[in-house]
């Protein structure tokens, strides 16, 4: 999540969380003219909420998870809300709407922390016991990376089994 979206809302939270515990656009009024959150975004956020504390999924992992889902009854695969995106689309959803879910558990494939939210994410990782790798001395700010080999969750076991 980089580039123009920046990954942070005006209140310093990644995503569109306004501090009231609701997802931006999640059925009520939103900052975008009262529009409802897109179905694809709801699906991405639902996966983020499944990830257990201390574990993570990459943007690509979430996209793969969604690609493996069957459409709900009454929904056709060609329905625009059912469309499946890749890692960039997952990142975009998290940047726009991820503030009301555990955003720090959906991460980059290289284990680097979300630019601009590194310290907030580190607080969550340390509290949850998420496996980290020591930062290289040459790393900017000496901020550790996630140890994806140990922290990555494949969705099979909600209980941490390290």
């Amino acid at each position: 999540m980089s580039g123009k979206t920046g990954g942070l809302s005006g209140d310093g939270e990644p995503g569109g969380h306004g501090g009231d515990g609701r997802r931006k656009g999640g059925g009520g009024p939103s900052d975008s003219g009262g529009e409802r959150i897109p179905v694809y975004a709801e699906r991405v956020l639902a996966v983020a909420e499944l990830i257990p504390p201390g574990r993570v999924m990459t943007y690509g992992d979430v996209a793969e998870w969604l690609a493996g889902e069957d459409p709900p009854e009454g929904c056709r695969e060609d329905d625009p809300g059912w469309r499946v995106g890749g890692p960039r689309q997952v990142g975009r959803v998290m940047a726009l709407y991820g503030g009301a879910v555990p955003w720090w558990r959906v991460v980059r494939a290289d284990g680097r922390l979300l630019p601009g939210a590194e310290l907030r994410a580190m607080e969550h990782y340390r509290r949850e016991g998420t496996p980290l790798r020591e930062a290289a001395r040459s790393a900017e700010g000496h901020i550790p990376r996630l140890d994806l080999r140990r922290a990555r969750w494949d969705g099979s076991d909600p209980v941490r089994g390290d």
Side-chain angles (χ1 to χ4, degrees):
M1 292 191 296
S2 61
K4 294 180 183 175
T5 61
L8 295 175
S9 66
D11 62 0
E13 285 287 336
H17 182 250
D20 62 0
R22 293 181 305 162
R23 293 180 187 150
K24 181 176 168 185
S30 74
D31 294 338
S32 57
E35 296 174 20
R36 291 189 177 272
I37 186 169
V39 172
Y40 182 72
E42 284 284 357
R43 294 173 56 220
V44 168
L45 299 176
V47 174
E49 290 177 322
L50 294 174
I51 304 168
R55 304 303 293 266
V56 299
M57 290 179 87
T58 67
Y59 300 126
D61 293 340
V62 173
E64 279 186 43
W65 175 294
L66 294 174
E69 286 185 337
D70 291 327
E73 193 169 322
C75 183
R76 299 184 331 261
E77 286 191 33
D78 61 346
D79 183 313
W82 187 253
R83 139 183 75 223
V84 175
R88 289 183 185 209
Q89 288 77 21
V90 171
R92 178 79 173 150
V93 167
M94 293 303 295
L96 292 174
Y97 306 107
V101 299
W103 55 266
W104 59 93
R105 296 182 192 152
V106 181
V107 301
R108 299 165 51 133
D110 63 4
R112 289 189 315 183
L113 307 188
L114 178 66
E118 298 96 332
L119 298 178
R120 305 250 357 239
M122 283 302 299
E123 291 174 22
H124 292 289
Y125 298 139
R126 287 191 173 120
R127 183 172 46 247
E128 294 181 359
T130 307
L132 300 168
R133 290 187 332 190
E134 188 102 10
R137 294 195 185 271
S138 62
E140 186 177 329
H142 302 288
I143 295 175
R145 287 187 183 201
L146 292 159
D147 184 343
L148 289 178
R149 187 182 58 76
R150 293 180 19 222
R152 201 172 208 164
W153 185 60
D154 65 6
S156 63
D157 182 10
V159 178
R160 189 167 178 161
D162 289 333

